[in-house]
Amino acid sequence: MLSLIRRAIQITIIDDSKGEKCDAHCGVDWSSAEAIALASQRIKDRFGAKIQLEYLDLSKPMTNHHALELYQRVRNKNLPLPLLLINGESRISGQFDIRQLLDAIDAEIEIKS
């Protein structure tokens, strides 16, 4: 699988840490550093270092143009959060876990190879 990754893949998880959460605590709390660290480690273990994971919290001040563009896209399309982007393209909108994240990366690699 590792040899199939020809160029870097950028994974972005967009969420709002101050947004309304499921009462039953369903889904991964992507705003926690532990969840992002675990996802990063699982990605690295499975795919190597060519995949980069970024977390963007919409409740924090936007500090760059790219973050502002993503914020506008989420708001304009009224997308449910969290949102998973792979190379800037929406892949999952709404609750997802690490297994679904890894499956989406697998699918991206398979499509691109």
Side-chain angles (χ1 to χ4, degrees):
M1 178 70 59
L2 295 177
S3 62
L4 296 177
I5 303 174
R6 292 188 178 100
R7 59 186 173 95
I9 295 175
Q10 179 63 47
I11 307 298
T12 307
I13 297 173
I14 301 172
D15 201 3
D16 183 346
S17 63
K18 293 184 180 174
E20 204 171 298
K21 301 293 180 195
C22 173
D23 290 336
H25 302 289
C26 45
V28 175
D29 178 7
W30 292 110
S31 65
S32 78
E34 295 83 11
I36 295 298
L38 179 60
S40 293
Q41 188 60 50
R42 293 263 175 90
I43 289 168
K44 184 178 178 184
D45 291 347
R46 188 158 170 185
F47 303 106
K50 282 203 162 202
I51 298 180
Q52 301 300 314
L53 176 63
E54 165 189 36
Y55 173 75
L56 176 62
D57 187 347
L58 296 181
S59 70
K60 306 285 184 202
M62 301 293 127
T63 58
N64 64 50
H65 183 68
H66 178 67
L68 286 171
E69 284 178 354
L70 293 174
Y71 175 81
Q72 287 301 324
R73 185 188 323 175
V74 169
R75 295 296 179 232
N76 290 342
K77 294 183 178 183
N78 199 28
L79 297 170
L81 296 175
L83 176 64
L84 173 66
L85 302 178
I86 299 179
N87 291 333
E89 298 296 322
S90 299
R91 293 294 183 246
I92 302 175
S93 185
Q95 292 296 330
F96 61 92
D97 59 22
I98 292 175
R99 180 194 55 79
Q100 292 168 305
L101 168 66
L102 297 174
D103 288 349
I105 296 168
D106 266 335
E108 182 73 15
I109 292 168
E110 191 171 309
I111 290 168
K112 298 295 181 185
S113 61

